[in-house]
Amino acid sequence: MTKLPRKSFALAAFLGMLILGLAPTANAQDVCYTSLETQNAIDAGLIKSQYQVLEEAGIDSLEMLNYQVCEEGGELVYIIGILRADGQAENLILSAQ
């Protein structure tokens, strides 16, 4: 059996998440940032970076498949798709502040 490089596996998992509808999503009433708005908020010190949030949660950033910043209940949160050790994809919601 040929082993796929980790990046190839992560890409395949991400594509599978998109097909299954597991990519980060927000409720209709929630407002989500574009990638430029997210970077501007990080640069301005309004939110932590996705890497800092994952580190504080004890999650290796190499497991991150995708992320999005959204306002949820008046708080800014990251919705982060990760690849668990068992190969399953999971969405986490972590405070961005």
Side-chain angles (χ1 to χ4, degrees):
M1 177 185 237
T2 307
K3 283 188 138 186
L4 288 175
R6 184 173 174 94
K7 287 183 181 179
S8 296
F9 183 73
L11 178 60
F14 173 70
L15 292 174
M17 285 175 54
L18 288 176
I19 292 168
L20 295 174
L22 295 175
T25 58
N27 296 327
Q29 71 273 13
D30 295 335
V31 176
C32 295
Y33 285 21
T34 66
S35 57
L36 179 60
E37 290 169 331
T38 297
Q39 189 57 54
N40 288 341
I42 292 168
D43 292 344
L46 300 174
I47 62 173
K48 299 173 186 176
S49 75
Q50 64 276 24
Y51 302 107
Q52 184 177 359
V53 168
L54 285 174
E55 182 179 323
E56 290 174 359
I59 300 167
D60 186 344
S61 64
L62 292 176
E63 297 169 358
M64 181 173 51
L65 301 172
N66 50 49
Y67 67 91
Q68 186 172 25
V69 173
C70 297
E71 185 178 331
E72 188 174 276
E75 180 183 359
L76 291 175
V77 297
Y78 276 99
I79 302 172
I80 302 177
I82 64 163
L83 183 64
R84 297 188 325 216
D86 65 3
Q88 296 294 311
E90 177 181 1
N91 282 337
L92 303 177
I93 298 177
L94 303 169
S95 176
Q97 299 169 312

